[in-house]
Amino acid sequence: MPMESDLMAVVRPEGEPEAPPFRVVFERLHRVVRKPSHWCSAHKHRHVELMLPINGAYRALVNRTRVEVPCGGAVLIAPGDTHEDLCDRPVGFMSVALRLLPGPEPGMSRRLLDPSVPVAVRAVARAPEIQAVAQRLFEDGPARDACAARVQDALAATLLWRMLAR
């Protein structure tokens, strides 16, 4: 009698991947609800920040270019970017800050994107996999066990790599 079976396999690509040029370190996650007419003036980012709208559309100026993503999307603010929140309507979002080590100095993450790359590539309209990882970081983040920081760093790295892959 023949044996029937289904096998689905996911395997690691052959060869060694190039070593990442930095280590991702989780810094903080804020879950924010902004009421209308909130404006955060222009400020320069020293580290990576991912803005993930969870209620309403997120609007901002990144390097003086307007960016808007709907709920479920994502915006990447890279080290050295100038960023300005435009909360002219109610919006809820998660803001995840990451450090990229080694950077040029302890207080500044390494450059992530070529400055000539258009700001539009930093915005993703639909990013359910990124939102899911951020939600997991939000839920697991408060843990204080011996592995909590490593789990936070691993989830933060997953967020960043998923965003860059998009």
Side-chain angles (χ1 to χ4, degrees):
M1 175 169 180
M3 227 161 94
E4 288 189 32
S5 64
D6 286 329
L7 172 65
M8 292 183 70
V10 176
V11 297
R12 188 175 189 279
E14 289 188 31
E16 286 303 312
E18 188 175 315
F22 49 78
R23 183 169 71 93
V24 178
V25 177
F26 172 76
E27 191 163 281
R28 63 147 178 83
L29 181 148
H30 288 160
R31 194 167 174 146
V32 181
V33 176
R34 296 275 192 229
K35 296 184 172 132
S37 302
H38 177 87
W39 173 67
C40 185
S41 62
H43 54 284
K44 197 166 272 290
H45 275 259
R46 299 178 62 76
H47 302 293
V48 172
E49 186 172 25
L50 290 169
M51 308 303 283
L52 308 163
I54 54 176
N55 184 15
Y58 175 78
R59 296 168 187 81
L61 294 178
V62 179
N63 300 331
R64 297 189 183 132
T65 300
R66 186 177 173 91
V67 174
E68 181 173 339
V69 295
C71 179
V75 176
L76 171 69
I77 313 296
D81 282 350
T82 300
H83 172 224
E84 194 170 341
D85 288 311
L86 306 175
C87 302
D88 53 344
R89 293 182 221 156
V91 62
F93 57 89
M94 282 190 273
S95 163
V96 184
L98 319 169
R99 285 181 285 139
L100 306 180
L101 304 177
E105 58 188 65
M108 180 77 171
S109 286
R110 124 177 222 118
R111 185 189 307 225
L112 184 60
L113 301 170
D114 183 324
S116 66
V117 171
V119 168
V121 304
R122 301 159 193 253
V124 178
R126 283 192 25 83
E129 71 285 4
I130 296 168
Q131 292 270 343
V133 175
Q135 183 61 34
R136 184 163 167 218
L137 184 57
F138 179 73
E139 292 167 2
D140 293 351
R144 295 286 175 235
D145 58 60
C147 297
R150 285 188 172 86
V151 170
Q152 289 172 333
D153 289 350
L155 289 169
T158 300
L159 271 176
L160 181 64
W161 292 121
R162 293 241 182 235
M163 185 68 185
L164 291 174
R166 290 297 300 269

